[in-house]
């Protein structure tokens, strides 16, 4: 699994603050609108918790570039 | 004018529950493409006149995505919802009469059906108008392609890839909100864009920070 890139960086001109860079080279910018019901820390924690629960299902298949299969619930006999 | 003009995208569309899937898809595509999603919902708190705030946001955005698909008549007597065409006119007017920077504005007009606009706002013929058929994946493809071409930014990913990622985000979003005892209908625009931004930055992160 790719290591999360969470370092906040300002652009050289100070115009933008980036929150990270994706695997395909896109710089993700901090948005202007602010959260109303949560703190940034709460949002990051919630995302981390759910990523563990979903088994890093955003991992990419190295051959096809598509999403790797998410883990499935064990098969239960009736 | 904000110094970040070249990366701001004004999203002008309806905010009702029926339109929510398309709106969420457009916002996700804008963020994933490396831009900042701006819209009138930023103005929901505060005492300043709402239209004055919208004018400020329009002034700060080089790009405008205007979805007219919810411009329909309703109520008793049936009257059309005209906020979206009004804000489209404001955006086009800023480009026409504004400063040199404002003249660099670019406009994408979306509707549910091709040529439906001719029945209620035919004077916009000749603008860049496309139909998404109320399909969030098609809306994402149109937005990503348009942003890539207009910004000449070849780093903007393909729309189908973004649509796949959006589907995965939508799958995880209820669980993310549930960790804070919330459901999607309760969150604000600011909550949604922040969650989407952090999710993209974390889940699709580069291996080398």
């Amino acid at each position: 699994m790719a290591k999360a890139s969470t370092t906040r960086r300002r652009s050289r001109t100070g115009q933008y603050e980036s929150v990270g860079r994706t695997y395909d080279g896109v710089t993700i910018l901090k948005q202007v609108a602010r959260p109303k019901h949560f703190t940034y820390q709460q949002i990051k924690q919630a995302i981390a918790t759910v990523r563990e629960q979903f088994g890093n299902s955003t991992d990419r298949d190295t051959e096809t570039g598509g999403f790797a299969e998410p883990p499935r619930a064990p098969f239960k006999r009736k | 004018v904000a110094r970040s003009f070249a990366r701001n995208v004004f999203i002008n569309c309806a905010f009702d529950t029926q339109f929510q899937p398309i709106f969420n898809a457009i916002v996700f595509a804008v963020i994933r493409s490396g831009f900042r999603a701006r819209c009138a919902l930023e103005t929901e708190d505060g005492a300043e006149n709402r239209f004055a705030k919208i004018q400020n946001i329009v002034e700060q955005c080089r790009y405008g995505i205007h979805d007219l698909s919810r411009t329909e008549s309703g109520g008793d007597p049936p009257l059309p919802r005209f906020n979206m065409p009004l804000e489209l006119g404001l955006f086009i007017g800023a480009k026409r009469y504004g400063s040199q920077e404002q003249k660099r504005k670019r406009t994408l007009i979306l509707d549910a059906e091709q040529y439906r606009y001719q029945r209620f706002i035919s004077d916009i013929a000749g603008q860049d108008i496309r139909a998404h058929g109320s399909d969030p994946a098609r809306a994402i493809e149109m937005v990503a392609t348009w942003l890539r071409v207009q910004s000449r930014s070849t780093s903007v990913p393909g729309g189908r890839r973004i649509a796949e990622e959006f589907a995965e985000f939508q799958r995880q979003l209820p669980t993310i909100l549930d960790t804070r005892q919330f459901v999607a209908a309760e969150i604000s625009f600011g909550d949604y864009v922040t969650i989407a931004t952090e999710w993209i930055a974390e889940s699709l992160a580069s291996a080398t920070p």
Side-chain angles (χ1 to χ4, degrees):
Chain A
M1 176 61 200
K3 185 174 175 246
S5 170
T6 55
T7 312
R8 262 58 176 164
R9 292 195 171 120
R10 284 203 173 273
S11 65
R12 274 183 216 158
T13 54
Q15 293 179 4
Y16 315 105
E17 190 177 345
S18 79
V19 299
R21 197 174 180 84
T22 60
Y23 66 91
D24 51 4
V26 177
T27 300
I28 303 301
L29 301 180
K30 186 173 183 182
Q31 300 296 304
V32 176
R34 299 282 177 263
K36 186 175 176 183
H37 299 293
F38 318 103
T39 65
Y40 286 95
Q41 194 58 35
Q42 287 170 338
I43 289 171
K44 288 164 84 71
Q45 279 173 354
I47 290 170
T49 304
V50 173
R51 284 187 69 206
E52 280 178 21
Q53 193 176 328
F54 277 69
N56 295 331
S57 56
T58 48
D59 280 356
R60 297 300 180 145
D61 184 307
T62 50
E63 287 183 8
T64 66
F67 285 115
E69 279 290 302
R72 297 183 188 286
F75 180 74
K76 288 180 184 172
R77 290 182 186 279
K78 285 186 180 176
Chain B
V1 174
R3 292 178 301 167
S4 49
F5 178 76
R7 286 278 149 180
N8 283 343
V9 181
F10 178 63
I11 301 172
N12 169 24
C13 61
F15 304 123
D16 55 36
T17 50
Q18 195 177 334
F19 189 75
Q20 198 73 40
I22 301 279
F23 176 62
N24 288 349
I26 293 172
V27 170
F28 187 92
V30 167
I31 297 169
R32 176 65 178 92
S33 300
F35 292 81
R36 302 203 300 185
R38 312 286 308 271
C39 85
L41 290 178
E42 284 176 28
T43 68
E44 66 185 0
D45 52 350
E48 194 187 339
N49 175 289
R50 180 182 165 88
F51 193 61
K53 283 188 175 179
I54 291 170
Q55 290 174 70
N56 285 337
I57 297 171
V58 165
E59 187 182 10
Q60 292 164 15
C61 295
R62 179 176 184 206
Y63 303 98
I65 298 171
H66 307 264
D67 193 306
L68 305 180
S69 52
R70 297 286 289 148
T71 306
E72 318 170 308
S73 55
D76 183 21
L79 294 168
R81 301 155 53 116
F82 241 70
N83 280 335
M84 286 84 74
L86 171 67
E87 290 167 27
L88 168 62
L90 179 67
F91 199 92
I92 293 173
K95 177 182 169 71
R96 172 68 179 79
Y97 300 110
S99 63
Q100 285 302 313
E101 184 172 62
Q102 294 297 315
K103 289 187 192 309
R104 294 172 57 222
K105 278 181 164 0
R106 295 290 180 269
T107 307
L108 171 66
I109 302 171
L110 299 174
D111 202 347
E113 301 166 29
Q114 195 76 45
Y115 308 122
R116 191 185 74 107
Y117 70 92
Q118 291 178 346
R119 301 204 298 268
F120 64 94
I121 188 168
S122 58
D123 283 357
I124 61 169
Q127 303 277 339
D128 199 355
I129 305 166
R130 298 175 202 185
H132 53 56
S134 301
D135 177 1
R138 278 182 68 189
I140 287 173
E141 281 187 44
M142 287 169 180
V143 167
T145 303
W146 180 75
L147 282 174
R148 189 182 315 110
V149 171
Q150 295 299 331
S151 67
R152 298 180 185 175
S153 175
T154 52
S155 65
V156 174
R160 289 185 188 179
R161 172 62 55 86
I162 299 177
E164 273 181 35
E165 292 164 355
F166 175 66
E168 181 60 29
F169 174 65
Q170 288 294 99
R171 197 169 73 91
Q172 295 188 18
L173 183 60
T175 316
I176 292 169
L177 295 177
D178 190 53
T179 62
R180 307 297 313 169
Q181 293 84 46
F182 272 80
V183 295
E186 294 175 298
I187 63 172
S188 69
F189 172 70
D191 294 324
Y192 180 78
V193 293
T194 308
I195 294 169
T197 303
E198 295 292 340
W199 186 89
I200 291 167
E202 291 293 329
S203 303
L204 309 175
S206 161
T208 51

